[in-house]
C-alpha cells in the first residue's frame, strides 16, 4: 500500500486524487489555495501545511499549474519531510528542461522521478481514461506504473523530459489541425456546402479526427465555449517555440499558427474562448463579419 | 433494374464497377485506353466504342482522371446515344465549376446530374466502403442513392459542385495535417523521444488521426511508398487554390503547404512518393541529412 501526497487539486487534480483514493490508495491533498481543502470528498485527507502534508508519503504526485509553481513548492520542502518519499511523479505540464531540473534536484534526496503529463481534459480525468505520457527510466516506470491505472493509460515514451515533449507534440498537432479545419469550414461555407453534412460524410476517412468533429462543429455554430482555452493553447505553443529554439529546429506551421493565436489574443476577451476560436482570426483576416 | 455504363476502369473505377455488377446491376465498361477492356471479370461487359457503350444505359457513372477528360468525353456523345440516359453521376474528382458546367451541358438532353467524388483510396473502393460526397438536388439524390450502396456511404452535402468542394476540403485537411504530424515527429526525434511509443500514447486523444498513425509511422520509418502520392496531393492543393481564388478567400495554411509541396516536387523523383514525404521537405529546411 502506498501513501500518496497529491499537490494541486484544481479541475484536473481533484478528480485524479479522487480516483486514486477510490482505488484504495491513502491520499493526502495539499493545495496552494487552502480554501479548496475544506470541502474534500470523504475519501480524501487534506493538509494545508506543505511539509506536514508530505511527511510520511512514499509517492508525491504534483499537478500544479506550471513548472515555476512546482519549482517554488519543491524549494520549500525540508530534507526531513522528504525523507520518506521514494518517487516524485510530475503530472503537470512543465517544460522538458524543467522536468530534467526537478529530477536532478530531487536526486540529491535519493528520490526517483517520472515526468508524466496527461491529455484528455477534465472529462477523461473524471472517467479515469487520461492519456499519460511518461518520461523516465524503464525500471522506475515498471515498479511505479500501477499507480497510473486508476487515472488512465500510461505509456513510457523515453527518458525524463520526453513525457513533456510528447505533451507538446500533442498540443502542436491539435493547434495546427484546428487551423486546417478552420480553413476547410470556411471554404465549405463560402462555397455553399452543408458543413454539418460534410463532417458526417468525412467521418471515418483520412481527414477525420476529434478536432474535425468537435471543434469543426463549434466553428459552424460560432459557439466558442471551452473545452480547451485559447489561453492554454497559446501557453503550450509558446513552450513549443522555446523547446524548438533549444533544439535548433525551424517548424514553419508552428511558427505561423503561434503568431495567429497571438493576434487572436490581442483581444483579451478571446483568451477564455475555446481554442477553435482560431476560426475568428481566419474570418477577420478575410474581412468577414458575422 | 438499372443499366449502368461505367466510364474509366482504372485503379478506383474497376473495383467500383465490379461491386456494382456483383450487387446485380447490368454494367458495361468503357475506357479511354481500350486494352484495359480485354481482361474484365466475367460479371462486367466491355465496349470500346464510346457511343455504343452508352446506348441504352439509364445511368452513366464517370470515373475518368479529371474534369478535362470528362469534358472531352461528354463532347463526343451523340444525342442519340444519350437518349436513354436519365442520370449522369460524376464520381471523378473535378473542379466544382466543372461539375456545374457538366450538369448544365447535360441538362439540354434532360439528363439529371449528381457530382459524387469519393474518398478512401483503392482499399475502400475494393471493400465497398468509400466515403461518397454527393452534390445535387435532394429528390434526385433520393431516387438515385441506392446505386451508391454497393460502393460505400453516400451523404448529400449540398447543391451540384459541393460534392467536389467537400472532396477538396478533405484533401486540404489531409495535406495540412501531414504538415502538423511532420513537425511533431521531428520535434520528438530531435528531443530524444521514442516516436512509436508517443503515437501509441496519443492514440484515442485529441491529436489522434489516421494521418498521425499511418503517415506518422511512414515518416518515422522513412518509408514513403504510396498510399496517396505527392503528385495527387499537389493536384488537389492547386485545385483548392483555384477555388479559393474564385471564392476570394485567403487560406494561409493552404497557401503555405502548397508552396512546400511545390518545393518538394522540384525533385521529380518525389512526385510518386507518398504525400507524407512532406517530411523530407521539413528535414531539408532544417538541413538534416539522413
Amino acid at each position: 500500500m502506498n501513501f500518496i501526497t497529491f499537490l494541486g487539486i484544481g479541475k484536473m487534480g481533484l478528480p485524479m486524487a479522487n480516483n486514486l483514493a477510490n482505488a484504495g490508495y491513502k491520499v493526502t491533498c495539499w493545495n496552494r489555495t487552502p480554501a479548496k481543502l475544506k470541502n474534500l470528498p470523504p475519501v480524501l485527507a487534506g493538509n494545508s501545511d506543505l511539509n506536514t502534508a508530505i511527511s510520511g508519503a512514499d509517492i508525491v504526485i504534483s499537478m500544479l499549474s506550471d513548472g515555476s509553481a512546482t519549482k517554488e513548492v519543491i524549494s520549500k520542502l525540508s530534507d526531513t519531510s522528504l525523507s520518506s518519499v521514494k518517487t516524485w511523479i510530475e503530472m503537470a505540464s512543465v517544460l522538458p528542461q524543467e522536468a530534467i531540473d526537478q529530477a536532478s534536484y530531487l536526486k540529491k534526496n535519493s528520490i526517483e522521478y517520472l515526468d508524466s503529463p496527461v491529455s484528455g481534459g477534465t472529462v477523461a480525468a473524471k472517467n479515469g481514461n487520461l492519456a499519460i505520457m511518461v518520461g523516465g527510466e524503464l525500471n522506475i516506470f515498471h515498479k511505479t506504473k500501477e499507480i497510473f491505472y486508476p487515472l488512465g493509460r500510461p505509456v513510457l515514451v523515453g527518458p525524463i523530459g520526453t513525457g513533456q515533449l510528447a505533451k507538446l507534440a500533442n498540443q502542436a498537432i491539435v493547434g495546427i489541425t484546428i487551423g486546417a479545419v478552420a480553413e476547410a469550414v470556411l471554404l465549405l461555407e463560402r462555397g455553399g456546402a452543408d458543413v454539418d453534412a460534410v463532417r458526417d460524410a468525412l467521418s471515418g476517412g483520412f481527414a477525420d479526427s476529434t478536432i474535425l468533429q468537435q471543434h469543426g462543429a463549434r466553428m459552424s455554430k460560432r459557439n466558442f465555449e471551452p473545452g480547451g482555452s485559447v489561453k492554454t493553447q497559446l501557453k503550450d505553443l509558446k513552450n513549443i517555440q522555446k523547446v524548438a529554439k533549444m533544439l535548433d529546429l525551424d517548424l514553419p506551421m508552428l511558427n505561423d499558427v503561434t503568431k495567429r493565436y497571438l493576434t487572436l489574443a490581442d483581444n483579451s476577451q478571446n483568451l477564455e474562448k475555446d481554442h477553435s476560436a482560431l476560426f475568428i482570426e481566419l474570418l477577420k483576416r478575410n474581412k468577414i463579419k458575422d
Side-chain angles (χ1 to χ4, degrees), chain A residues 85-203:
Chain A
V85 178
K86 294 190 189 69
T87 315
W88 185 286
I89 306 178
E90 181 64 38
M91 299 197 77
S93 292
V94 307
L95 284 168
Q97 189 58 47
E98 290 172 329
I100 293 166
D101 293 345
Q102 287 177 18
S104 155
Y105 184 92
L106 291 162
K107 203 171 188 176
K108 289 181 279 185
N109 291 65
S110 302
I111 296 172
E112 296 178 329
Y113 183 95
L114 294 174
D115 79 296
S116 314
V118 300
S119 174
T122 53
V123 175
K126 275 179 192 133
N127 296 339
N129 57 6
L130 290 162
I132 307 172
M133 297 150 270
V134 187
E137 287 174 28
L138 183 64
N139 69 320
I140 300 173
F141 177 67
H142 275 312
K143 68 187 180 194
T144 312
K145 67 182 178 186
E146 71 175 22
I147 288 275
F148 293 118
Y149 295 155
L151 305 175
R153 196 169 72 92
V155 179
L156 184 71
V157 297
I160 290 168
T162 59
Q164 300 296 341
L165 195 69
K167 175 72 192 276
L168 292 179
N170 183 82
Q171 298 305 89
I173 294 171
V174 166
I176 299 170
T177 308
I178 285 174
V181 169
E183 295 190 14
V185 168
L186 183 57
L187 184 73
L188 290 164
E189 282 189 1
R190 184 69 77 101
D194 174 343
V195 187
D196 294 344
V198 174
R199 280 200 313 279
D200 177 24
L202 302 191
S203 72

Side-chain angles (χ1 to χ4, degrees), chain A residues 36-268:
Chain A
K36 285 194 183 170
L37 297 167
K38 282 184 183 160
N39 292 305
L40 290 173
V43 287
L44 292 174
N47 195 315
S48 62
D49 181 78
L50 178 63
N51 276 287
T52 317
I54 284 188
S55 291
D58 4 67
I59 291 181
V60 177
I61 295 180
S62 162
M63 194 62 193
L64 300 163
S65 58
D66 56 28
S68 59
T70 310
K71 188 177 179 179
E72 194 191 335
V73 162
I74 292 181
S75 72
K76 289 178 180 164
L77 296 174
S78 68
D79 286 344
T80 312
S81 52
L82 281 174
S83 62
S84 63
V85 178
K86 294 190 189 69
T87 315
W88 185 286
I89 306 178
E90 181 64 38
M91 299 197 77
S93 292
V94 307
L95 284 168
Q97 189 58 47
E98 290 172 329
I100 293 166
D101 293 345
Q102 287 177 18
S104 155
Y105 184 92
L106 291 162
K107 203 171 188 176
K108 289 181 279 185
N109 291 65
S110 302
I111 296 172
E112 296 178 329
Y113 183 95
L114 294 174
D115 79 296
S116 314
V118 300
S119 174
T122 53
V123 175
K126 275 179 192 133
N127 296 339
N129 57 6
L130 290 162
I132 307 172
M133 297 150 270
V134 187
E137 287 174 28
L138 183 64
N139 69 320
I140 300 173
F141 177 67
H142 275 312
K143 68 187 180 194
T144 312
K145 67 182 178 186
E146 71 175 22
I147 288 275
F148 293 118
Y149 295 155
L151 305 175
R153 196 169 72 92
V155 179
L156 184 71
V157 297
I160 290 168
T162 59
Q164 300 296 341
L165 195 69
K167 175 72 192 276
L168 292 179
N170 183 82
Q171 298 305 89
I173 294 171
V174 166
I176 299 170
T177 308
I178 285 174
V181 169
E183 295 190 14
V185 168
L186 183 57
L187 184 73
L188 290 164
E189 282 189 1
R190 184 69 77 101
D194 174 343
V195 187
D196 294 344
V198 174
R199 280 200 313 279
D200 177 24
L202 302 191
S203 72
F206 281 113
D208 198 20
S209 64
T210 308
I211 301 293
L212 174 63
Q213 297 300 334
Q214 288 187 16
H215 297 70
R218 287 175 196 153
M219 294 174 201
S220 288
K221 288 179 191 155
R222 309 294 198 263
N223 176 355
F224 300 111
E225 289 294 309
S229 69
V230 167
K231 193 175 164 183
T232 304
Q233 181 71 54
L234 194 51
K235 183 194 93 173
D236 292 331
L237 288 171
K238 285 179 181 170
N239 281 341
I240 298 166
Q241 296 291 321
K242 284 180 198 161
V243 174
K245 200 172 176 187
M246 279 182 66
L247 297 173
D248 192 23
L249 287 178
D250 173 17
L251 303 175
M253 285 183 168
L254 274 163
N255 291 340
D256 292 343
V257 84
T258 304
K259 281 181 203 151
R260 291 174 56 204
Y261 269 107
L262 280 168
T263 303
L264 181 67
D266 280 346
N267 179 345
S268 64

